[in-house]
Amino acid sequence: MSLYQQRRLTNIISMSLSVIATGIALAFLCWILWTLLRFGVPHLTLSAFTQNTPPPGSQGGLANAIVGSLILTVGGVLIGTPLGILAGTYLSEFGRGSRLAMVVRFVNDVLLSAPSIVIGVFVYEIMVRTMGHFSAYAGTVALALIVIPIVVRTSEDMLQLVSDTMREAAAALGAPQWKVITHIVYRAARPGILTGVLLAIARVSGETAPLLFTALNNQFWSMKLDQPIANLPVVIFQFAMSPYEDWQHLAWVGALIITFSILVLNIVARTFTRGRRPQA
Amino acid sequence: MMDTSTTTHLKRDRVRDSLFRGATRLSAATVFGLVMAIVIALAFGASLAFQKFGAGFLVSSEWNPVTEQFGAAAPIYGTLVTSAIAMLIGIPLSFGVALFITELSPVWLKRPIGTAVELLAAIPSIIYGMWGLFIFAPWFADNLQPWIQDKTGSLPGLRALFQGPPMGIGMFTAGLILAIMVIPYITAVIRDVFTIVPTELRESAYGLGATTWEVVWHVILPYTRIGVVGGIMLGLGRALGETMAVTFVIGNAQRISSSLFMPGNTISSALANEFTEAVGDTYTSSLLALGLILFMITFVVLAIARLLLGRIGGRI
């Protein structure tokens, strides 16, 4: 075989392997989504949304878990977003070269990559143990701790994409700095920041590990925030691991609901930045 | 009259400016404080275990809640082994996907395939776990496991790695699922660093008659090596801390087995299974010590990743 043929062959083989690798990755995505549809759809009935989680062996739904998940997610996002946006503002607007900004940027990355179960353990230590019982508050704080680093990161990135000439133009018109930031910079970066918040929502709505030790679960309809609260991920975990068939069916329904909501959120978040990306 | 209103305006703006600046700085400091609080709370909780078992905690594989003897070796071993498997399988796959998207794919296909691969990261880990336990593990036990054992049975070194009943669950399955989960993270970074390679470099290599593979292997990869390793480190950090997917499929056995097909444990799965049920201060403290070790490991991995990616960022 000539050197030329050998090189061509190497190229063809490696390129085919690359196509195969892509095929494998996509195949797993399809396999997982297909599994969810196959096991989730047959049991996806109206009662899944209207009835509470049942005791073993009887019919029921996921209403309390869905509402609980919504409460925890909204709570986590309400705490995490303002803090995250303000911290991101500091990093991009005030702190630029400062030492505090450098440290916070790094520490934020640490928080971003911290295993979520460690966050659960931390919140258990500081809240559940001191309060003496599991509660929706603790779950909310755990989720907020996951939201914060995501929002800090995306807001800083998006604010930095706003060109300095725009800031200078506003300042030249006599606008004070807070007005420049809140009226000009935020407005220009809004789609990007919104994307970050949506991605954070998508991320926390599937989080299970931190809720195991904080919000725990509740078999009943509960709106009390200082009590354990039902939530989809933990219900899915408990029901999937249970020997009861009814529970396992509900676990698949929950898995289907959660995954497809998250996929939709992700796709919506993407369309926000598409085309309307702030000018670099 | 005009002058005084302008001065009050200026004064008010100055107050608002400093208030706003203070609020942002306080928020930034809060992020810092939270991470410090996590470290302190974990270290404080873990101190009892470290006092009692000393450095032996890290090397002892005993885990006995009844006699209150605890050692972290088994979960640390499981964490490292599953992550190593995830990297061995996940890196080539991610590299292939990134290569396809940046070099091979027609332009109209880049976006949909890129999005699809990123959606792999959006699927919650508990879904990977359910799918792994109920769908993948049985399929793996029926189809792949006997085949692997058949092929490796005659090689003494490998036989020990893959022996045992084909149950479907175990450390290998956990590593395999982690490999799929890290693909989007590693692929994203490799894609990003591949696109910063100057077009002139690419084109001069092609102009000299290099094949696509030669361009990637001899030009693009050396140029982006540091960034690629940084991306791998980010993926590794994910794999080390992943909890729910692993908890479903690893089998949760507190022991070190030489075979990858045997059940094991990772730090995160031990925490997920035992933390709420732990009775007694020593038990809880030992689990907190595990959490602290996991946090430290991911911290080091992240620091390396940031260092490498930061360096390549300076070159853009």
Side-chain angles (χ1 to χ4, degrees), chain B:
Chain B
M1 192 66 191
M2 191 69 185
D3 273 348
T4 46
S5 96
T6 316
T7 2
T8 48
H9 263 292
L10 279 177
K11 225 180 246 169
R12 205 166 59 198
D13 279 337
R14 210 172 301 147
V15 172
R16 284 185 187 169
D17 258 356
S18 60
L19 274 180
F20 188 64
R21 181 197 295 257
T24 62
R25 186 180 290 168
L26 186 68
S27 307
T30 308
V31 174
F32 178 75
L34 282 171
V35 175
M36 289 303 115
I38 292 175
V39 176
I40 292 168
L42 288 178
F44 187 72
S47 57
L48 180 65
F50 281 121
Q51 266 167 28
K52 209 163 169 179
F53 305 115
F57 184 74
L58 294 172
V59 289
S60 160
S61 64
E62 183 155 3
W63 190 269
N64 192 334
V66 182
T67 58
E68 297 214 317
Q69 287 299 315
F70 299 102
I76 292 179
Y77 172 81
T79 304
L80 297 181
V81 168
T82 49
S83 296
I85 297 170
M87 289 299 113
L88 280 177
I89 301 170
I91 293 170
L93 281 176
S94 313
F95 181 68
V97 175
L99 190 65
F100 179 80
I101 297 175
T102 54
E103 310 294 325
L104 287 180
S105 157
V107 177
W108 59 271
L109 205 60
K110 278 179 202 259
R111 207 187 163 96
I113 291 202
T115 308
V117 172
E118 279 167 34
L119 287 185
L120 274 177
I123 297 175
S125 68
I126 189 171
I127 308 297
Y128 278 98
M130 278 179 83
W131 169 81
L133 179 64
F134 294 112
I135 310 297
F136 183 75
W139 178 84
F140 185 63
D142 288 344
N143 298 299
L144 269 184
Q145 258 180 328
W147 183 80
I148 294 177
Q149 287 179 332
D150 194 44
K151 294 288 164 203
T152 57
S154 52
L155 306 158
L158 284 178
R159 189 173 52 199
L161 270 184
F162 296 111
Q163 66 192 3
M167 293 180 289
I169 57 170
M171 289 197 287
F172 189 81
T173 312
L176 208 62
I177 291 176
L178 287 177
I180 306 163
M181 297 179 76
V182 298
I183 288 175
Y185 296 97
I186 303 182
T187 303
V189 178
I190 297 185
R191 272 177 68 186
D192 283 352
V193 294
F194 272 17
T195 51
I196 65 158
V197 176
T199 325
E200 295 88 337
L201 268 182
R202 257 174 231 267
E203 284 173 356
S204 31
Y206 278 120
L208 289 171
T211 60
T212 311
W213 172 250
E214 284 162 348
V215 172
V216 169
W217 194 251
H218 296 297
V219 178
I220 298 181
L221 208 55
Y223 191 86
T224 55
R225 196 175 42 215
I226 297 174
V228 171
V229 176
I232 290 170
M233 286 292 161
L234 283 186
L236 179 61
R238 284 275 144 203
L240 289 167
E242 181 46 56
T243 309
M244 297 319 290
V246 172
T247 307
F248 268 94
V249 296
I250 199 162
N252 303 307
Q254 278 285 5
R255 62 162 178 264
I256 298 179
S257 343
S258 66
S259 170
L260 300 178
F261 283 172
M262 295 300 280
N265 214 349
T266 68
I267 295 178
S268 49
S269 73
L271 281 171
N273 276 311
E274 299 178 35
F275 192 70
T276 44
E277 284 152 25
V279 187
D281 289 343
T282 318
Y283 196 0
T284 310
S285 173
S286 300
L287 285 168
L288 285 167
L290 281 184
L292 183 66
I293 293 169
L294 179 62
F295 192 61
M296 288 302 153
I297 296 176
T298 50
F299 174 81
V300 170
V301 170
L302 173 89
I304 297 172
R306 276 291 137 225
L307 200 70
L308 296 172
L309 289 174
R311 216 185 289 168
I312 199 158
R315 234 166 60 178
I316 297 173

Side-chain angles (χ1 to χ4, degrees), chain A residues 29-280:
Chain A
L29 177 71
C30 296
W31 192 0
I32 293 169
L33 296 182
W34 166 243
T35 303
L36 288 175
L37 289 173
R38 189 157 69 101
F39 291 95
V41 168
H43 305 283
L44 188 66
T45 52
L46 193 64
S47 62
F49 297 95
T50 53
Q51 291 177 23
N52 286 346
T53 47
S58 57
Q59 296 290 316
L62 296 162
N64 54 341
I66 293 173
V67 172
S69 265
L70 286 176
I71 292 175
L72 289 173
T73 306
V74 169
V77 171
L78 280 184
I79 300 174
T81 306
L83 195 79
I85 292 179
L86 283 175
T89 308
Y90 177 78
L91 295 182
S92 154
E93 305 296 317
F94 297 108
R96 287 200 182 174
S98 77
R99 187 171 302 203
L100 175 64
M102 261 166 57
V103 174
V104 169
R105 207 170 282 135
F106 177 71
V107 159
N108 188 62
D109 276 349
V110 172
L111 194 57
L112 192 62
S113 73
S116 57
I117 190 146
V118 170
I119 289 174
V121 169
F122 165 68
V123 176
Y124 178 90
E125 278 294 290
I126 58 160
M127 287 185 74
V128 178
R129 188 177 286 228
T130 46
M131 288 164 76
H133 55 85
F134 298 99
S135 68
Y137 286 128
T140 306
V141 170
L143 293 187
L145 281 175
I146 295 168
V147 169
I148 290 169
I150 303 176
V151 175
V152 171
R153 183 72 177 276
T154 47
S155 344
E156 191 205 352
D157 287 353
M158 289 304 146
L159 292 173
Q160 274 182 344
L161 285 177
V162 180
S163 67
D164 277 344
T165 42
M166 210 190 272
R167 292 187 180 88
E168 283 156 11
L173 290 172
Q177 203 170 4
W178 68 268
K179 219 168 200 168
V180 174
I181 293 169
T182 53
H183 285 55
I184 311 292
V185 182
Y186 278 170
R187 201 163 289 182
R190 192 159 55 194
I193 295 176
L194 203 57
T195 303
V197 175
L198 287 178
L199 288 179
I201 296 174
R203 170 81 198 279
V204 294
S205 33
E207 277 293 348
T208 317
L211 296 180
L212 285 175
F213 312 146
T214 51
L216 200 67
N217 196 359
N218 195 328
Q219 244 202 297
F220 308 102
W221 182 273
S222 167
M223 287 285 147
K224 294 198 198 86
L225 293 183
D226 61 343
Q227 292 298 315
I229 192 164
N231 58 89
L232 271 177
V234 176
V235 166
I236 293 173
F237 180 53
Q238 290 184 348
F239 281 17
M241 290 299 218
S242 77
Y244 313 110
E245 218 162 86
D246 291 335
W247 276 18
Q248 289 185 357
H249 291 326
L250 276 178
W252 283 113
V253 173
L256 179 74
I257 296 174
I258 235 175
T259 308
F260 280 87
S261 329
I262 290 172
L263 292 187
V264 167
L265 266 175
N266 263 281
I267 290 165
V268 170
R270 263 157 233 279
T271 57
F272 264 112
T273 37
R274 197 179 190 173
R276 275 197 65 194
R277 229 184 157 80
Q279 285 174 356

